[in-house]
Amino acid sequence: MMPSSSLSLRSRRRVIAAAVAVVLSVSALAAVTPSGAAHAESYPSWSDVQQAKASASAQQAKVTEIQALIADLQTKAVAAQKAAEAAGAAYQTAQTKYDEATLTQQTLQAQADTAKKTAAQSEAQAGQLAAQLGRASANNVTTDLLTHPSGSGDLLYELGAMSKLSEQADGIYSQASQDRGIAQGLADKADLAKKALGSLAAAAQQKMQLAQDSAVAAQSAVTAQNDNQARLEAQLTLLTSNAKDVESKYNKGVQVEKARQAAIAAAAARAAAKAAATTQGGSGGGAPNSSGWVRPAGGYQTSPFGYRIDPYTHAHALHAGVDLAPACYAPIYAAHDGTVTFAANGGGYGNEVVLDNGGGISTAYGHVVDGGILVSVGQHVSAGQQIAKIGSTGWSTGCHLHFETRINGAAVDPVPFMAARGISV
């Protein structure tokens, strides 16, 4: 880029306007100057920029440096966000595989238990019949043949009836044997499926951690871009124009942006309060009951636990929770005391919070609105504490909470789970 003396007046005005626009449109600016020693060493200060204008060569070098820094910020932010989205999708896929495998294993085990019970009943029935036939054969028929030789026709009838009963007993034994084989086959399948669950659970946990780490990295990259790009754009304007008071205008722009963000936050808070006040179909939060649980959100239940045609993907898939739909921005509450183990992008779950509630129990809260996660990993929360806001992120067709309950990592239907703890969802 040429020194400022060679720029036309129109070009200078365009550069200044662009710099001011950038300052006013930045989504979040943490501070006027970079935070941390690393930032202070990596980015030029206003005095550095001002000194670079002393010579054309220094000015051009500083322009090149700043342009490279801006491009690097943008590249890193985009790459980190894409990586976080990919990690979230991988986590959701791994979790779904585990949930489906768990449900299959539980179904196989239930079928095996039923078949085993049926086989035992058949065996008992056949045994009882065989015992009766044995007693009749050993006593009644032999005695009748010796004491009533003239009643041979009746005796033949008795023998025929016993033969039929014997065939029936053999049939029951045969069916019992088949039932026993079926039960064993189902039990073997259930055992194999159970052995596979360990690796699937480990994969889901690993993917969850990767998604959390990726989300943190993405937020760090976006924060760095927000903290520095607008200032670098303004410094570029200072280098390439004769504009006056660029630094003071930048600082003023920061304050304006802070005020705008505060107004947006206040409007969102008012919307959340209104949504909470107008909720139909049951309210959420409040003081925990005697079991220590609360309803995680207001609103009616719009989709139950189980297999369904997913309204977003249109595929037949397991819905591992229940959906509650109060209103956009409505509060989401911790259903029970717990520690935050995940607070990030969860792929199809959208923005998600997961709590370890102790005793092998965990709860998950999905589709949180962008910027609506109010807790962080490692934080302890209390039952009824607001942890997020209702949104429609991820695989969602409208604002709602996707709520999951898990026992030792396996998803269970939240309706009976919560009902057993005195909460209706």
Side-chain angles (χ1 to χ4, degrees):
M1 185 174 290
M2 297 297 291
S4 59
S5 59
S6 63
L7 290 174
S8 67
L9 179 61
R10 180 176 297 176
S11 296
R12 290 197 298 271
R13 287 175 177 172
R14 282 203 301 266
V15 172
I16 295 170
V20 173
V22 168
V23 170
L24 296 179
S25 65
V26 174
S27 62
L29 291 169
V32 173
T33 57
S35 59
H39 287 97
E41 295 173 0
S42 302
Y43 298 99
S45 67
W46 287 99
S47 61
D48 292 337
V49 173
Q50 191 65 53
Q51 291 173 12
K53 296 186 72 173
S55 70
S57 60
Q59 185 175 7
Q60 182 58 53
K62 189 60 68 176
V63 166
T64 301
E65 176 191 352
I66 290 177
Q67 288 174 333
L69 287 169
I70 292 172
D72 184 59
L73 284 169
Q74 294 171 338
T75 299
K76 286 181 178 178
V78 170
Q81 286 177 305
K82 286 184 177 179
E85 291 171 2
Y91 152 57
Q92 185 247 339
T93 298
Q95 186 67 70
T96 298
K97 285 182 178 179
Y98 172 70
D99 290 340
E100 291 178 340
T102 300
L103 195 58
T104 297
Q105 188 274 333
Q106 291 172 344
T107 300
L108 285 170
Q109 189 61 58
Q111 291 173 344
D113 293 342
T114 299
K116 184 177 179 181
K117 184 177 180 181
T118 300
Q121 291 173 342
S122 297
E123 289 168 347
Q125 183 181 2
Q128 290 171 356
L129 186 56
Q132 292 175 355
L133 286 170
R135 287 193 298 271
S137 176
N139 301 316
N140 299 343
V141 176
T142 302
T143 302
D144 287 347
L145 282 172
L146 294 173
T147 59
H148 302 90
S150 60
S152 58
D154 292 338
L155 292 173
L156 289 173
Y157 174 79
E158 289 182 32
L159 289 172
M162 288 175 62
S163 177
K164 290 292 184 182
L165 289 173
S166 179
E167 290 178 6
Q168 185 179 2
D170 289 342
I172 293 175
Y173 265 125
S174 177
Q175 184 61 51
S177 179
Q178 291 181 25
D179 291 340
R180 182 66 66 183
I182 291 172
Q184 188 59 54
L186 289 169
D188 290 343
K189 288 182 179 180
D191 286 341
L192 287 174
K194 189 172 185 178
K195 290 177 181 177
L197 290 180
S199 59
L200 289 173
Q205 187 63 37
Q206 181 183 30
K207 298 295 185 184
M208 174 190 265
Q209 186 59 57
L210 181 59
Q212 181 64 56
D213 294 343
S214 297
V216 171
Q219 183 57 53
S220 178
V222 170
T223 298
Q225 183 184 23
N226 290 339
D227 284 354
N228 295 290
Q229 183 167 337
R231 187 186 67 262
L232 290 170
E233 294 277 6
Q235 290 176 338
L236 198 59
T237 298
L238 179 60
L239 280 168
T240 57
S241 74
N242 291 323
K244 304 296 183 183
D245 301 325
V246 176
E247 182 179 358
S248 61
K249 289 177 181 177
Y250 165 77
N251 291 338
K252 183 178 179 180
V254 170
Q255 297 305 316
V256 169
E257 176 61 19
K258 284 183 177 180
R260 188 178 75 86
Q261 291 297 323
I264 292 173
R270 289 193 295 271
K274 182 178 180 181
T278 59
T279 289
Q280 294 182 332
S283 59
N289 65 9
S290 58
S291 297
W293 290 80
V294 303
R295 200 173 196 263
Y300 291 109
Q301 183 187 141
T302 57
S303 186
F305 178 93
Y307 277 92
R308 64 173 185 174
I309 300 299
D310 190 288
Y312 187 88
T313 64
H314 307 295
H316 186 255
L318 174 64
H319 185 231
V322 296
D323 293 342
L324 300 175
C328 296
Y329 300 105
I332 299 171
Y333 306 100
H336 189 68
D337 293 354
T339 302
V340 181
T341 57
F342 185 81
N345 181 298
Y349 296 115
N351 299 319
E352 182 187 29
V353 174
V354 178
L355 302 180
D356 179 353
N357 303 107
I361 295 173
S362 62
T363 49
Y365 313 75
H367 304 311
V368 176
V369 68
D370 284 333
I373 293 179
L374 307 180
V375 292
S376 57
V377 171
Q379 179 179 344
H380 179 78
V381 297
S382 301
Q385 177 180 336
Q386 185 178 355
I387 58 174
K389 299 176 184 178
I390 297 284
S392 186
T393 54
W395 292 357
S396 170
T397 57
C399 289
H400 71 280
L401 166 66
H402 172 79
F403 176 61
E404 293 182 355
T405 50
R406 295 178 177 274
I407 299 176
N408 296 323
V412 296
D413 189 342
V415 173
F417 176 92
M418 295 295 283
R421 291 155 179 79
I423 301 295
S424 173
V425 292

